[in-house]
Amino acid sequence: MFYIYLFNFSLSLPPQTKFETKKMKKTIFITGGAGFIGSHVVRLFVKKYADYRIINIDKLTYAGNLANLKDIEKAPNYIFEKADIVNVEQIKNLFVKYNPDGVIHLAAESHVDRSISNPTEFIFTNIVGTVNLLNAARSCWKDNYEGKRFYHISTDEVYGSLGEEGFFTENTAYDPRSPYSASKASSDHLVRAYNHTFGLPAVISNCSNNYGPNHFPEKLIPLAINNIKNMKSIPIYGKGENVRDWLYVIDHARAIDVIFHNGRDGETYNIGGNNEWTNIDLIRKLCEVMDNKLNREPGTSASLITFVQDRAGHDLRYAIDSTKLMKELGWKPSLQFEEGLEKTVDWYLNNVEWLNNIVSGDYKKYYEGMYGDKAK
Ligand code: NAD
Ligand code: TYD
C-alpha cells in the first residue's frame, strides 16, 4: 500500500489507486481549500471523515497557500487539484474525473478593499465561477440528486449594514453595498435559483467575520498582529467605530460540517459569534495581548494606532442572529473571544516562516499601494 501510495504521487495514477474508492463513502469537492477558512474545513473533513475522499480545488491566487495544509497533505483521503472555477473545461473535467457526491464551495475573491480597487475579478470568480460549478454539478448529477448536495459558503455582508440595534436573520432582505458583497449576494441568488428552478439540492450559510490561524494579513486582525510585531503603525479606518461580529475560524468550520451533513436543502443558515466589537476596541484588546506576549511595557503596542482615511462605503455594523442554526442543528461557538485571540496571536508568533513568506512577496506592493505613507 505504501509503495502504491508513493507511486501514485509520482505518476499521477487515477485516484482509485490511492483511495481504494470502493471503501470511500463519499467524494467531496471543497473549493478554495487552500485559503483561510477553506484550509480549516479541509483539515476538519480529512481528519474526521477517513472514509470520505476530499478533493481540494483551488487556483492558488495570492490568497491560496498550500503551506496551510502541510500537516494533512499526505493523508490518504486527500487530493489537491489546481484549477480555476472560472474555467468551464477544467471544472467539467474534474466532475467527470471524480463524480463527487457533494460540493462545499468556498473559493472566492474575499477582500472588500481589493473589490473597491479592482471589482472585475470579483465578478468573474464569485459569480461566473459559482455558476460554472452549479452547471457542472447539474450536468454530472443528471438531475438524479439522491445523496447529493451543493453547499455554498457566503457572508453576512450580503445583508448590508446595520444601525446601532438589531441583527441579521435569514429573512433579512439583501442590501449589499460593496463590489465584494454584491458579487457574493449575486452568487447566493444564483444558488437559490438553481435550487428552485432545477431542484438542485443546495444549502447556503452566511457567516460573520472570521479570525484565527492562517488568516491572510490583508485583513484587520492579522495585519495588525504583523504590524505590532514589527513596531509599525496600525491603520484604523475612520474613527474605528465600525462594528464586526467575530467568530473563531474553527467554529465556522464546525458549523460547515454540521450544516453540510444535517442542514435542510433549500435553507439558509446564519453563523455568527455573538461577539461584537468596534474596530478600535478590538485593536486595543489585541495591543494588550501583544504587549503581554512580547514582554513590552503596557501601552507600547497601542501607541502604534493610527487613524487613516476611511474605506469608501464602509459598512457601519454587522451582527448575526444564529438562533436557527443553534436550535435546529445544535451548533454553538466553542471559544470565548479572549481565548481565541490569544490562540491566534500565539499562532502568528510561532509561525514566523508562514508570515514572512507572505509579507516578503507581492504583499509588500499591495501594502504600499493600499496604505502608502500613512501606515509605515
Ligand atoms: P481567502 O481569500 O482566504 O481564500 C480564498 C481561496 O479561494 C484561496 O485559496 C484562493 O486561491 C481560492 N480562489 C480564488 N479564486 C479562485 C478561482 N477562480 N478558482 C479556484 N480557487 C480560487 O478567503 P476566506 O476568507 O477563506 O473565505 C472563504 C469563503 O468564505 C469565501 O467564499 C468568503 O466569501 C466566505 N466568507 C469569509 C469570511 C471571512 O471572514 N473571511 C466570512 C464569511 C464568509
Ligand atoms: P476586514 O478584516 O477587511 O473585514 P471586512 O471588511 O470583511 O469586515 O475589516 C474588518 C474591519 O476593520 C472593517 O470595519 C474595516 C476595518 N479595517 C481597518 O480599520 N483597517 C484596516 O487596515 C483593515 C484591513 C480593515
Side-chain angles (χ1 to χ4, degrees), residues 265-299:
D265 285 333
E267 292 291 323
T268 295
Y269 297 88
N270 278 357
I271 312 169
N274 196 19
N275 176 43
E276 291 181 53
W277 289 78
T278 61
N279 293 335
I280 188 64
D281 285 348
L282 183 155
I283 291 300
R284 287 206 178 105
K285 179 89 212 156
L286 178 66
C287 287
E288 278 172 29
V289 174
M290 293 288 287
D291 279 347
N292 190 24
K293 299 274 176 199
L294 297 170
N295 293 320
R296 289 181 180 165
E297 278 293 303

Tab-separated table of all heavy atoms in Angstrom, residues 265-299:
chain	number	residue	atom	x	y	z
A	265	ASP	N	-32.105	21.002	2.577
A	265	ASP	CA	-31.981	21.574	1.239
A	265	ASP	C	-32.882	22.790	1.084
A	265	ASP	O	-34.003	22.813	1.586
A	265	ASP	CB	-32.393	20.541	0.171
A	265	ASP	CG	-31.326	19.488	-0.013
A	265	ASP	OD1	-30.150	19.794	0.249
A	265	ASP	OD2	-31.672	18.358	-0.408
A	266	GLY	N	-32.355	23.781	0.366
A	266	GLY	CA	-33.140	24.983	0.088
A	266	GLY	C	-33.107	25.981	1.233
A	266	GLY	O	-33.668	27.068	1.122
A	267	GLU	N	-32.425	25.621	2.331
A	267	GLU	CA	-32.413	26.503	3.502
A	267	GLU	C	-31.136	27.345	3.564
A	267	GLU	O	-30.102	26.992	2.972
A	267	GLU	CB	-32.500	25.680	4.788
A	267	GLU	CG	-33.817	24.978	4.990
A	267	GLU	CD	-34.981	25.929	5.276
A	267	GLU	OE1	-34.762	26.934	5.978
A	267	GLU	OE2	-36.095	25.661	4.793
A	268	THR	N	-31.255	28.419	4.327
A	268	THR	CA	-30.101	29.269	4.621
A	268	THR	C	-29.872	29.250	6.124
A	268	THR	O	-30.837	29.236	6.893
A	268	THR	CB	-30.416	30.727	4.201
A	268	THR	OG1	-30.584	30.753	2.794
A	268	THR	CG2	-29.302	31.679	4.593
A	269	TYR	N	-28.618	29.218	6.525
A	269	TYR	CA	-28.282	29.259	7.956
A	269	TYR	C	-27.305	30.405	8.207
A	269	TYR	O	-26.270	30.488	7.545
A	269	TYR	CB	-27.647	27.927	8.405
A	269	TYR	CG	-28.601	26.763	8.266
A	269	TYR	CD1	-28.687	26.046	7.072
A	269	TYR	CD2	-29.440	26.408	9.323
A	269	TYR	CE1	-29.581	24.983	6.928
A	269	TYR	CE2	-30.337	25.344	9.189
A	269	TYR	CZ	-30.403	24.643	7.996
A	269	TYR	OH	-31.291	23.611	7.862
A	270	ASN	N	-27.634	31.260	9.143
A	270	ASN	CA	-26.706	32.314	9.553
A	270	ASN	C	-25.760	31.769	10.632
A	270	ASN	O	-26.203	31.045	11.536
A	270	ASN	CB	-27.462	33.505	10.135
A	270	ASN	CG	-27.997	34.434	9.044
A	270	ASN	OD1	-27.750	34.206	7.860
A	270	ASN	ND2	-28.708	35.466	9.451
A	271	ILE	N	-24.491	32.158	10.527
A	271	ILE	CA	-23.485	31.712	11.514
A	271	ILE	C	-22.795	32.960	12.072
A	271	ILE	O	-22.257	33.757	11.294
A	271	ILE	CB	-22.403	30.827	10.844
A	271	ILE	CG1	-23.025	29.737	9.966
A	271	ILE	CG2	-21.485	30.218	11.902
A	271	ILE	CD1	-22.009	29.000	9.084
A	272	GLY	N	-22.796	33.104	13.381
A	272	GLY	CA	-22.144	34.280	13.968
A	272	GLY	C	-21.557	33.957	15.324
A	272	GLY	O	-21.839	32.903	15.916
A	273	GLY	N	-20.739	34.868	15.808
A	273	GLY	CA	-20.046	34.635	17.070
A	273	GLY	C	-20.752	35.244	18.269
A	273	GLY	O	-20.327	35.047	19.410
A	274	ASN	N	-21.834	36.019	18.022
A	274	ASN	CA	-22.479	36.769	19.088
A	274	ASN	C	-21.396	37.536	19.865
A	274	ASN	O	-21.341	37.516	21.078
A	274	ASN	CB	-23.248	35.804	20.008
A	274	ASN	CG	-24.232	36.540	20.891
A	274	ASN	OD1	-24.597	37.681	20.581
A	274	ASN	ND2	-24.634	35.938	21.998
A	275	ASN	N	-20.547	38.197	19.112
A	275	ASN	CA	-19.297	38.730	19.667
A	275	ASN	C	-18.920	40.023	18.933
A	275	ASN	O	-18.037	40.056	18.096
A	275	ASN	CB	-18.208	37.658	19.465
A	275	ASN	CG	-16.855	38.108	19.912
A	275	ASN	OD1	-16.698	38.725	20.967
A	275	ASN	ND2	-15.853	37.822	19.098
A	276	GLU	N	-19.650	41.092	19.287
A	276	GLU	CA	-19.466	42.343	18.549
A	276	GLU	C	-18.383	43.209	19.180
A	276	GLU	O	-18.364	43.388	20.407
A	276	GLU	CB	-20.779	43.141	18.567
A	276	GLU	CG	-21.878	42.515	17.749
A	276	GLU	CD	-23.136	43.369	17.796
A	276	GLU	OE1	-23.064	44.577	17.509
A	276	GLU	OE2	-24.201	42.818	18.143
A	277	TRP	N	-17.560	43.770	18.333
A	277	TRP	CA	-16.503	44.691	18.773
A	277	TRP	C	-16.407	45.860	17.802
A	277	TRP	O	-16.447	45.652	16.593
A	277	TRP	CB	-15.133	43.982	18.766
A	277	TRP	CG	-14.982	42.961	19.838
A	277	TRP	CD1	-15.498	41.698	19.836
A	277	TRP	CD2	-14.253	43.111	21.062
A	277	TRP	NE1	-15.146	41.038	20.987
A	277	TRP	CE2	-14.379	41.883	21.766
A	277	TRP	CE3	-13.519	44.140	21.640
A	277	TRP	CZ2	-13.790	41.675	23.011
A	277	TRP	CZ3	-12.924	43.928	22.880
A	277	TRP	CH2	-13.068	42.718	23.551
A	278	THR	N	-16.238	47.073	18.348
A	278	THR	CA	-15.828	48.159	17.450
A	278	THR	C	-14.377	47.866	17.083
A	278	THR	O	-13.631	47.229	17.859
A	278	THR	CB	-15.892	49.551	18.128
A	278	THR	OG1	-14.999	49.538	19.242
A	278	THR	CG2	-17.305	49.921	18.564
A	279	ASN	N	-13.970	48.341	15.910
A	279	ASN	CA	-12.583	48.071	15.483
A	279	ASN	C	-11.568	48.614	16.485
A	279	ASN	O	-10.569	47.957	16.787
A	279	ASN	CB	-12.338	48.681	14.107
A	279	ASN	CG	-13.152	47.977	13.032
A	279	ASN	OD1	-13.525	46.816	13.180
A	279	ASN	ND2	-13.441	48.686	11.944
A	280	ILE	N	-11.854	49.793	17.020
A	280	ILE	CA	-10.861	50.396	17.914
A	280	ILE	C	-10.754	49.611	19.234
A	280	ILE	O	-9.644	49.378	19.733
A	280	ILE	CB	-11.135	51.906	18.149
A	280	ILE	CG1	-9.994	52.557	18.915
A	280	ILE	CG2	-12.466	52.177	18.799
A	280	ILE	CD1	-8.682	52.571	18.194
A	281	ASP	N	-11.892	49.161	19.758
A	281	ASP	CA	-11.826	48.364	20.995
A	281	ASP	C	-11.102	47.038	20.746
A	281	ASP	O	-10.314	46.580	21.582
A	281	ASP	CB	-13.231	48.085	21.545
A	281	ASP	CG	-13.827	49.319	22.194
A	281	ASP	OD1	-13.084	50.300	22.414
A	281	ASP	OD2	-15.042	49.317	22.473
A	282	LEU	N	-11.395	46.453	19.602
A	282	LEU	CA	-10.748	45.180	19.288
A	282	LEU	C	-9.226	45.367	19.191
A	282	LEU	O	-8.449	44.580	19.742
A	282	LEU	CB	-11.304	44.654	17.955
A	282	LEU	CG	-10.810	43.295	17.497
A	282	LEU	CD1	-11.842	42.665	16.577
A	282	LEU	CD2	-9.498	43.328	16.782
A	283	ILE	N	-8.818	46.431	18.513
A	283	ILE	CA	-7.372	46.635	18.337
A	283	ILE	C	-6.708	46.960	19.679
A	283	ILE	O	-5.595	46.516	19.962
A	283	ILE	CB	-7.107	47.729	17.268
A	283	ILE	CG1	-7.524	47.194	15.886
A	283	ILE	CG2	-5.651	48.185	17.261
A	283	ILE	CD1	-6.793	45.937	15.433
A	284	ARG	N	-7.419	47.697	20.532
A	284	ARG	CA	-6.839	47.975	21.871
A	284	ARG	C	-6.643	46.674	22.648
A	284	ARG	O	-5.619	46.474	23.304
A	284	ARG	CB	-7.746	48.931	22.653
A	284	ARG	CG	-7.663	50.345	22.105
A	284	ARG	CD	-7.992	51.407	23.164
A	284	ARG	NE	-7.845	52.733	22.570
A	284	ARG	CZ	-8.858	53.516	22.215
A	284	ARG	NH1	-10.109	53.143	22.437
A	284	ARG	NH2	-8.636	54.688	21.669
A	285	LYS	N	-7.644	45.799	22.547
A	285	LYS	CA	-7.552	44.489	23.228
A	285	LYS	C	-6.362	43.699	22.671
A	285	LYS	O	-5.570	43.108	23.415
A	285	LYS	CB	-8.873	43.725	22.978
A	285	LYS	CG	-8.946	42.378	23.578
A	285	LYS	CD	-9.491	42.459	24.975
A	285	LYS	CE	-8.907	41.407	25.844
A	285	LYS	NZ	-8.927	41.730	27.247
A	286	LEU	N	-6.262	43.700	21.334
A	286	LEU	CA	-5.170	42.973	20.692
A	286	LEU	C	-3.809	43.537	21.127
A	286	LEU	O	-2.860	42.786	21.375
A	286	LEU	CB	-5.315	43.080	19.159
A	286	LEU	CG	-4.229	42.424	18.325
A	286	LEU	CD1	-4.231	40.908	18.494
A	286	LEU	CD2	-4.426	42.759	16.836
A	287	CYS	N	-3.744	44.869	21.260
A	287	CYS	CA	-2.490	45.507	21.690
A	287	CYS	C	-2.090	45.033	23.086
A	287	CYS	O	-0.910	44.771	23.356
A	287	CYS	CB	-2.628	47.031	21.663
A	287	CYS	SG	-2.644	47.701	19.996
A	288	GLU	N	-3.098	44.904	23.970
A	288	GLU	CA	-2.798	44.395	25.332
A	288	GLU	C	-2.216	42.989	25.263
A	288	GLU	O	-1.217	42.673	25.928
A	288	GLU	CB	-4.092	44.308	26.161
A	288	GLU	CG	-4.548	45.593	26.780
A	288	GLU	CD	-5.946	45.417	27.413
A	288	GLU	OE1	-6.299	44.300	27.855
A	288	GLU	OE2	-6.680	46.419	27.439
A	289	VAL	N	-2.862	42.138	24.445
A	289	VAL	CA	-2.396	40.745	24.334
A	289	VAL	C	-0.958	40.740	23.791
A	289	VAL	O	-0.084	40.018	24.293
A	289	VAL	CB	-3.329	39.922	23.398
A	289	VAL	CG1	-2.783	38.520	23.164
A	289	VAL	CG2	-4.744	39.858	23.963
A	290	MET	N	-0.702	41.575	22.799
A	290	MET	CA	0.626	41.587	22.172
A	290	MET	C	1.694	42.117	23.145
A	290	MET	O	2.806	41.587	23.212
A	290	MET	CB	0.607	42.440	20.892
A	290	MET	CG	-0.231	41.874	19.763
A	290	MET	SD	0.462	40.419	18.934
A	290	MET	CE	1.799	41.112	17.992
A	291	ASP	N	1.353	43.174	23.880
A	291	ASP	CA	2.313	43.692	24.882
A	291	ASP	C	2.716	42.575	25.834
A	291	ASP	O	3.895	42.389	26.155
A	291	ASP	CB	1.682	44.835	25.692
A	291	ASP	CG	1.721	46.166	24.948
A	291	ASP	OD1	2.441	46.258	23.941
A	291	ASP	OD2	1.001	47.106	25.371
A	292	ASN	N	1.698	41.849	26.261
A	292	ASN	CA	1.912	40.768	27.208
A	292	ASN	C	2.793	39.661	26.610
A	292	ASN	O	3.782	39.235	27.206
A	292	ASN	CB	0.514	40.254	27.604
A	292	ASN	CG	0.586	39.304	28.752
A	292	ASN	OD1	1.539	39.340	29.529
A	292	ASN	ND2	-0.403	38.432	28.858
A	293	LYS	N	2.447	39.248	25.395
A	293	LYS	CA	3.191	38.135	24.760
A	293	LYS	C	4.625	38.531	24.412
A	293	LYS	O	5.523	37.698	24.395
A	293	LYS	CB	2.499	37.692	23.459
A	293	LYS	CG	1.102	37.189	23.620
A	293	LYS	CD	1.059	35.712	23.968
A	293	LYS	CE	-0.369	35.265	24.224
A	293	LYS	NZ	-0.473	34.028	24.967
A	294	LEU	N	4.809	39.826	24.076
A	294	LEU	CA	6.139	40.259	23.624
A	294	LEU	C	6.942	40.910	24.754
A	294	LEU	O	7.996	41.502	24.505
A	294	LEU	CB	5.999	41.244	22.453
A	294	LEU	CG	5.350	40.659	21.174
A	294	LEU	CD1	5.039	41.758	20.160
A	294	LEU	CD2	6.250	39.604	20.542
A	295	ASN	N	6.394	40.800	25.990
A	295	ASN	CA	7.057	41.398	27.157
A	295	ASN	C	7.351	42.879	26.954
A	295	ASN	O	8.443	43.361	27.244
A	295	ASN	CB	8.375	40.669	27.478
A	295	ASN	CG	8.097	39.266	27.939
A	295	ASN	OD1	7.150	39.046	28.694
A	295	ASN	ND2	8.887	38.323	27.439
A	296	ARG	N	6.361	43.592	26.422
A	296	ARG	CA	6.532	45.028	26.232
A	296	ARG	C	5.856	45.783	27.366
A	296	ARG	O	4.894	45.281	27.965
A	296	ARG	CB	5.884	45.467	24.919
A	296	ARG	CG	6.630	45.006	23.686
A	296	ARG	CD	5.927	45.511	22.419
A	296	ARG	NE	6.643	45.067	21.230
A	296	ARG	CZ	6.146	45.101	19.999
A	296	ARG	NH1	4.928	45.571	19.786
A	296	ARG	NH2	6.860	44.680	18.980
A	297	GLU	N	6.322	46.999	27.596
A	297	GLU	CA	5.646	47.888	28.555
A	297	GLU	C	4.194	48.040	28.153
A	297	GLU	O	3.930	48.256	26.954
A	297	GLU	CB	6.276	49.297	28.463
A	297	GLU	CG	7.556	49.489	29.229
A	297	GLU	CD	7.308	49.410	30.725
A	297	GLU	OE1	6.485	50.196	31.221
A	297	GLU	OE2	7.938	48.545	31.360
A	298	PRO	N	3.230	47.957	29.076
A	298	PRO	CA	1.830	48.187	28.701
A	298	PRO	C	1.695	49.529	27.967
A	298	PRO	O	2.292	50.529	28.373
A	298	PRO	CB	1.099	48.222	30.044
A	298	PRO	CG	1.983	47.440	30.972
A	298	PRO	CD	3.394	47.647	30.496
A	299	GLY	N	0.950	49.537	26.868
A	299	GLY	CA	0.739	50.779	26.097
A	299	GLY	C	1.667	50.904	24.897
A	299	GLY	O	1.430	51.729	24.014
